[in-house]
Amino acid sequence: MALTGYSWLLLSATFLSAGAEISITPEPDQPAEGDNITLAVHGLTGELLAYNWYAGPTLSLTYLVASYIVSTGDETPGPAHTGREVVRPDGSLDIRGALLGHSGTYILQTLNRQLQTEVGYGHLQVYEILAQPVVLANTTELVERRDTLRLICSSPSPAEVRWFFNGEALPIDLRLSLSPDGRVLTRHGIRREEAGAYQCEVRNPVSVSRSEPISLTVYFGPERVAIIHDSTTRTGCTIKVDFNMSLTLWCVSRSCPEPEYVWAFNGRALKNGQDHLNISSMSAATEGTYTCIAKNTKTLLSGSASVVVKLTAAVVAMSIVPVPSKPTEGQDVTLTVQGYPKDLLVYAWYRGPASEPNRLLSQLPSGNWIAGPAHTGREVGFTNCSLLVQKLNLTDAGRYTLKTVTLQGKTETLELELQVAPME
């Protein structure tokens, strides 16, 4: 009886024999998609008439790849043939340019001259050439100890996942958690040292692919806000400066991003948004408490530091300086007193010579000032003896006299001729 096509399949149902054990091994043993693979057969015995190859779990016509007649070398493709399979005379099966779909169970069925059949089983795993994964983040800008980091390694392939931080393998400790498949990395209460570049890598026995890095920024601070002068931290200290000398105060802090800075003098905000403050000419008017406030716009936190700046104990001649130096009609002018007595008891300002009818105002030991007979309602006194005259008119030009009395009873009188330019 000649064997053709699938005719001997009917015979095999009647004459099954356990026979010797047939084994099937893939060569190479870990093939990648696109490889040429041979399912090598071992343990064949006796004089064989034909082979049937199946790609599936059972001896079903649906899974039949090909039938091969040994005597003629005729091969008949079956329903499961993909056009890539070829049966060798020794019973092995070649698969050219294997696809991922070639993975699975393979069965070889043989027929000998006694019309007995034997079967052998094997498994083929074709591995994918992995595409580059992508790291997805819930956000790339986080606030320290407040925000949660969640990274996803996005890849269409079922593969082992590894994580990298700044190019090095990421150690997974108690502060980091991974999903069971390793694809989701979570960190609650992110910390500043965890800012940097994250990557994930997918791998199988034949392929490795790493993602592009994704950079994370962790905002923190400001912390340890301090005021520095001459490279020395002066926070909480008193800085003594000679009369008419300059001074620069620097505000420093640990913060990401760099904070916004606000300076205050004796509790009043100054128009300075820089990290340093210049005092160009030290005088009694610039004595006081200087405060730097650092504000982080990302964390919404702030911190501050203060120093006290004072004139040195050297005796300074008292003087009056108008600010602005050449006021015009309608402007305000401050008659700034430099070098006023530190042990001041009271002072008085006069419009003209120091006589009672000419008195503009006096400051009492309590710190309050009272208006005198010549007060126009536009004059204001300050604790440093300075006098503010508001909304100048041309009649305000002339002599101004300051009289000071110390706790020891020492009296000093100082005069100034104020010039007021007409409004143009």
Side-chain angles (χ1 to χ4, degrees):
M1 179 179 64
L3 297 177
T4 61
Y6 308 137
S7 63
W8 71 276
L9 293 173
L10 299 175
L11 297 173
S12 68
T14 306
F15 302 98
L16 288 176
S17 171
E21 183 175 352
I22 299 173
S23 64
I24 300 170
T25 57
E27 297 175 357
D29 60 347
Q30 292 182 330
E33 57 181 324
D35 284 354
N36 294 327
I37 304 170
T38 297
L39 297 181
V41 180
H42 308 279
L44 295 180
T45 61
E47 188 176 354
L48 301 176
L49 298 179
Y51 310 119
N52 275 345
W53 273 99
Y54 299 84
T58 62
L59 296 175
S60 168
L61 182 60
T62 303
Y63 301 127
L64 181 65
V65 174
S67 295
Y68 183 85
I69 306 302
V70 176
S71 61
T72 64
D74 292 337
E75 179 177 334
T76 304
H81 197 277
T82 67
R84 298 170 184 264
E85 297 86 358
V86 176
V87 181
R88 290 185 179 185
D90 65 358
S92 300
L93 181 68
D94 288 338
I95 304 174
R96 298 166 182 168
L99 304 175
L100 296 178
H102 283 105
S103 297
T105 300
Y106 284 79
I107 304 174
L108 171 63
Q109 182 184 39
T110 66
L111 179 69
N112 63 22
R113 287 192 176 276
Q114 289 74 41
L115 301 184
Q116 295 174 324
T117 63
E118 295 181 74
V119 295
Y121 294 85
H123 184 80
L124 173 63
Q125 177 65 55
V126 179
Y127 291 97
E128 180 181 2
I129 301 299
L130 298 171
Q132 185 178 40
V134 176
V135 176
L136 305 176
N138 59 330
T139 178
T140 57
E141 298 181 355
L142 305 101
V143 175
E144 185 177 42
R145 300 184 183 276
R146 188 183 76 189
D147 291 340
T148 295
L149 169 66
R150 188 169 184 266
L151 299 178
I152 300 174
C153 185
S154 178
S155 171
S157 307
E160 179 188 357
V161 176
R162 296 182 181 181
W163 288 92
F164 292 82
F165 175 61
N166 291 336
E168 301 291 336
L170 177 64
I172 306 301
D173 54 24
L174 295 178
R175 296 188 294 108
L176 294 170
S177 62
L178 278 180
S179 61
D181 62 2
R183 292 178 177 247
V184 181
L185 177 68
T186 304
R187 169 68 172 102
H188 298 283
I190 192 76
R191 297 182 184 177
R192 68 191 68 177
E193 59 268 21
E194 292 161 339
Y198 286 80
Q199 294 171 280
C200 73
E201 182 180 271
V202 291
R203 57 171 54 213
N204 61 28
V206 301
S207 178
V208 177
S209 184
R210 189 179 297 189
S211 70
E212 293 294 328
I214 183 171
S215 294
L216 303 183
T217 301
V218 177
Y219 298 124
F220 60 88
E223 301 171 349
R224 302 181 183 179
V225 181
I227 294 177
I228 292 178
H229 170 59
D230 288 343
S231 302
T232 304
T233 300
R234 301 291 188 178
T235 303
C237 299
T238 297
I239 301 174
K240 293 187 177 182
V241 184
D242 292 338
F243 178 74
N244 211 31
M245 296 298 292
S246 63
L247 172 69
T248 299
L249 301 175
W250 292 87
C251 191
V252 296
S253 67
R254 295 177 60 183
S255 177
C256 177
E258 186 72 13
E260 296 179 352
Y261 294 99
V262 177
W263 288 89
F265 173 55
N266 290 334
R268 299 179 64 180
L270 301 175
K271 293 182 179 180
N272 184 309
Q274 298 178 311
D275 59 355
H276 62 282
L277 177 69
N278 292 319
I279 302 174
S280 58
S281 180
M282 188 64 196
S283 66
T286 56
E287 284 191 314
T289 300
Y290 290 83
T291 301
C292 166
I293 303 170
K295 300 180 179 179
N296 188 317
T297 58
K298 297 294 185 178
T299 65
L300 304 181
L301 300 175
S302 62
S304 64
S306 298
V307 295
V308 176
V309 177
K310 289 187 175 182
L311 284 168
T312 55
V315 177
V316 178
M318 189 166 61
S319 63
I320 302 173
V321 178
V323 179
S325 59
K326 297 180 179 179
T328 59
E329 183 181 6
Q331 280 189 315
D332 295 350
V333 66
T334 300
L335 303 184
T336 303
V337 179
Q338 299 179 346
Y340 68 90
K342 300 303 177 187
D343 56 349
L344 180 70
L345 178 62
V346 295
Y347 72 79
W349 276 98
Y350 301 88
R351 180 67 174 85
S355 61
E356 179 58 23
N358 298 331
R359 186 170 60 84
L360 291 170
L361 56 82
S362 304
Q363 179 171 288
L364 304 177
S366 64
N368 298 321
W369 59 267
I370 56 175
H375 194 269
T376 67
R378 294 180 290 115
E379 296 84 11
V380 178
F382 297 97
T383 56
N384 63 359
C385 299
S386 298
L387 176 70
L388 169 65
V389 183
Q390 305 174 84
K391 298 181 180 179
L392 287 173
N393 56 51
L394 296 178
T395 61
D396 291 323
R399 184 192 307 177
Y400 286 78
T401 303
L402 170 65
K403 185 176 182 179
T404 61
V405 180
T406 66
L407 292 172
Q408 288 74 33
K410 180 182 177 181
T411 300
E412 188 172 355
T413 301
L414 201 61
E415 295 182 348
L416 169 74
E417 286 292 331
L418 179 65
Q419 304 292 327
V420 179
M423 184 182 302
E424 296 182 358

